[in-house]
Amino acid sequence: MGNFKRVNYPKKSFATCFKTTFHKSMSETKKVLLTGDRPTGPLHLGHYVGSLQNRVQLQHTCEQFVMIADMQALTDYFERPEHVVKNVAEVVKDYLAVGIDPQKTTIFIQSQIPELCELTMLLLNLVTTSRLQRNPTIKNEIQLRGFEESIPAGFLCYPVSQAADITLFRATHVPAGEDQAPMIEQTNELVRRFNYTYKTDCLREVELMLSKTPRLIGIDGNAKASKSLGNAIFLSDSAETVHEKVFSMYTDPNHIRVSDPGKTEGNVVFAYLDAFDPDKDEVESLKAQYRKGGLGDMTLKRRLDEILQTLLKPVREKRAAVTDKEALEIAIEGTKKMKTIAQNTMEAVRNAVGIVYRGG
Ligand code: ATP
Ligand code: MG
C-alpha cells in the first residue's frame, strides 16, 4: 500500500458515529489500559516484571482491561485447542495471585467477543501481506515456530487482530514488554489508515508503556523468557522447582574458580538480580566484586533464590486459594461488560465505513 496524501476532510467524529451513551471508560481524560496474555501456559517472571507489576499499580488510577487472548493463542496452537482452553483459568488465577483486583480491572476472554473478528476483517483490508511479513516480532516468532515454509495466515495476521483488540476498547495505553513495540507501531499505522480512509476519528492511537525490565531473559540465557520456550520460572512453580531453576542458571562459563574474574553481562543470575533484588546498590557492589574475582556463583544463586522465594511464596498461596470455577466466573462476568463497549464501538465503526442497511 503506497503512501497517500493527507487531505483535511470533514471528519465523522466518534461521538457522531456513536448513537448510544458513552461508557465511563470512553472518557477522553482517563487513561484506558488494554493488555493481555496468551493462555498457552501459566505466567512467569517475565510477565511479572514486563507487565503484571505495572498493571497491579496502574489499576488504581486508570481504567484497566485485561484480555485472555485465546483466539490469538489458537493462531499457533490450532491443533491443541484443549490446551488453550484449559489455560484460561490458570492465567486468571495468576492475575489474582499477583494482586490484579477484579473490582478494579476487567478481565475478559477474547473469543467471546465476536465484534473483534468483525473489526479485524475491516482492518485486514488496510494492510499488505509484505508489511505483515516485515513485522520484526512476527519474523522472529515464525522462525521460532518453524513456520518459514508455510505460514498459517491466521498467525501472520495476528498483529491485525491485536490492533482490533486495542482499538475496539478505545485503549490509550498498553503496559507490555518490549516484544510488543512492533505491534503497537502496526496498530497505530492501521488506526491512521482507517481514520484517513473513512474520514473519521473513530479509532484511537495508542502508546506502549514499558516497565523498568521490558525484557527478562530466559534461565537458559535465551534473549527472552517465554512460555513456548519453556525457559522461565513460573509464578506457580513450587519452592523446590524455583530452587532447582535458580541453581541451574547459566552464569559465565569461564568463571571456574571463585577467585577467577567473571562476566556480568549475559550472566542470567545478574540479569535476575537486576530485575528482582530490591537493594540496587548491593547488586552493583556484587557486580564489581564478581568482575574482579573472589565471588562465587553459589553465593549469588543463594541470594537470588532467597529473593525469589520471598516474592513467590505469597503468590503461590493466593493462587492455591482460587478454584478454576471462581477464576472462570470472574472472566465471564468481565466479558459481559466488555461486550457492551465492543458493540458500541462497532456501531461507530460500521457507521464510519457506511455498512449500515435499513429496509422499508
Ligand atoms: P508465548 O511463548 O506463548 O508467546 P509469552 O511467554 O511470550 O508466551 P505472552 O502471553 O505472549 O507470553 O505475553 C504476554 C505479555 O507479557 C506481553 O505484554 C509481553 O510483552 C510480556 N512478556 C512476555 N514475556 C516477557 C519477558 N520475558 N520479559 C518481559 N515481558 C514479557
Ligand atoms: Mg509471546
Side-chain angles (χ1 to χ4, degrees):
M1 223 157 273
N3 287 338
F4 49 89
K5 239 172 90 191
R6 197 161 261 294
V7 186
N8 284 330
Y9 289 108
K11 281 187 171 177
K12 287 179 225 162
S13 75
F14 184 67
T16 58
C17 290
F18 191 70
K19 305 255 170 45
T20 38
T21 46
F22 274 79
H23 180 268
K24 178 165 75 75
S25 68
M26 303 295 180
S27 131
E28 299 295 319
T29 50
K30 198 173 184 182
K31 278 185 187 151
V32 182
L33 313 184
L34 187 289
T35 45
D37 302 279
R38 293 154 37 95
T40 49
L43 301 186
H44 52 70
L45 289 177
H47 296 113
Y48 185 75
V49 286
S51 181
L52 294 174
Q53 237 178 348
N54 257 349
R55 298 185 208 173
V56 173
Q57 271 177 17
L58 292 163
Q59 66 182 343
H60 301 289
T61 50
C62 306
E63 175 90 42
Q64 177 159 255
F65 305 138
V66 175
M67 184 183 79
I68 305 179
D70 56 343
M71 286 293 262
Q72 193 188 112
L74 286 171
T75 63
D76 56 332
Y77 280 74
F78 46 87
E79 286 173 325
R80 295 173 62 198
E82 63 295 332
H83 176 76
V84 171
V85 171
K86 184 184 80 171
N87 274 298
V88 171
E90 297 302 316
V91 171
V92 178
K93 287 196 277 184
D94 283 329
Y95 290 159
L96 304 177
V98 295
I100 291 185
D101 174 358
Q103 300 301 321
K104 296 198 162 78
T105 295
T106 310
I107 300 169
F108 69 105
I109 307 172
Q110 185 185 28
S111 63
Q112 304 307 297
I113 313 269
E115 287 79 5
L116 285 169
C117 302
E118 196 180 345
L119 183 55
T120 303
M121 283 300 284
L122 291 170
L123 294 179
L124 277 169
N125 298 328
L126 307 177
V127 66
T128 61
T129 47
S130 57
R131 170 66 185 91
L132 289 165
Q133 275 162 336
R134 279 201 308 275
N135 181 314
T137 302
I138 287 288
K139 262 175 143 171
N140 181 31
E141 291 181 340
I142 284 174
Q143 211 182 2
L144 280 176
R145 287 158 178 76
F147 282 162
E148 293 101 326
E149 292 301 305
S150 66
I151 314 167
F155 189 81
L156 182 66
C157 298
Y158 94 70
V160 180
S161 122
Q162 208 169 313
D165 303 332
I166 296 167
T167 53
L168 188 66
F169 304 108
R170 310 232 344 118
T172 59
H173 294 79
V174 175
E178 201 176 68
D179 57 325
Q180 293 305 308
M183 303 299 172
I184 301 299
E185 196 183 316
Q186 191 138 38
T187 297
N188 286 336
E189 275 174 35
L190 282 164
V191 167
R192 289 193 291 273
R193 185 94 198 165
F194 182 91
N195 287 349
Y196 173 82
T197 306
Y198 302 114
K199 301 167 195 67
T200 178
D201 62 359
C202 198
L203 302 186
R204 242 185 205 179
E205 287 194 45
V206 70
E207 255 179 63
L208 176 63
M209 281 174 127
L210 286 179
S211 73
K212 279 191 235 115
T213 310
R215 181 171 50 83
L216 185 72
I217 62 173
I219 54 171
D220 56 354
N222 190 294
K224 182 177 171 269
S226 137
K227 292 185 225 103
S228 305
L229 294 173
N231 61 354
I233 295 180
F234 295 100
L235 300 176
S236 48
D237 275 345
S238 68
E240 296 71 39
T241 306
V242 173
H243 180 85
E244 275 165 29
K245 286 184 177 175
V246 169
F247 279 79
S248 75
M249 274 179 179
Y250 176 90
T251 54
D252 172 2
N254 296 319
H255 185 247
I256 298 159
R257 282 177 300 266
V258 174
S259 55
D260 290 341
K263 273 212 285 205
T264 54
E265 303 77 37
N267 184 319
V268 180
V269 182
F270 275 111
Y272 277 65
L273 285 174
D274 277 336
F276 296 99
D277 194 327
D279 190 345
K280 300 297 169 210
D281 291 341
E282 182 59 16
V283 174
E284 286 315 309
S285 111
L286 289 171
K287 278 184 188 170
Q289 222 182 317
Y290 194 81
R291 283 191 203 108
K292 218 167 71 194
L295 180 59
D297 286 349
M298 286 304 143
T299 312
L300 287 173
K301 286 182 175 179
R302 269 196 295 273
R303 180 181 178 93
L304 178 63
D305 185 40
E306 209 177 298
I307 293 166
L308 295 183
Q309 298 292 358
T310 310
L311 172 77
L312 293 176
K313 188 170 183 275
V315 173
R316 201 179 299 123
E317 284 168 2
K318 248 176 131 177
R319 198 181 193 283
V322 188
T323 65
D324 281 10
K325 194 165 170 280
E326 285 163 342
L328 281 179
E329 267 162 21
I330 288 170
I332 291 166
E333 228 13 74
T335 306
K336 284 187 200 149
K337 170 177 165 184
M338 299 309 283
K339 205 157 168 59
T340 310
I341 305 176
Q343 284 167 344
N344 288 341
T345 310
M346 258 335 280
E347 189 186 331
V349 166
R350 282 187 221 108
N351 279 324
V353 179
I355 42 172
V356 182
Y357 304 98
R358 290 186 186 93

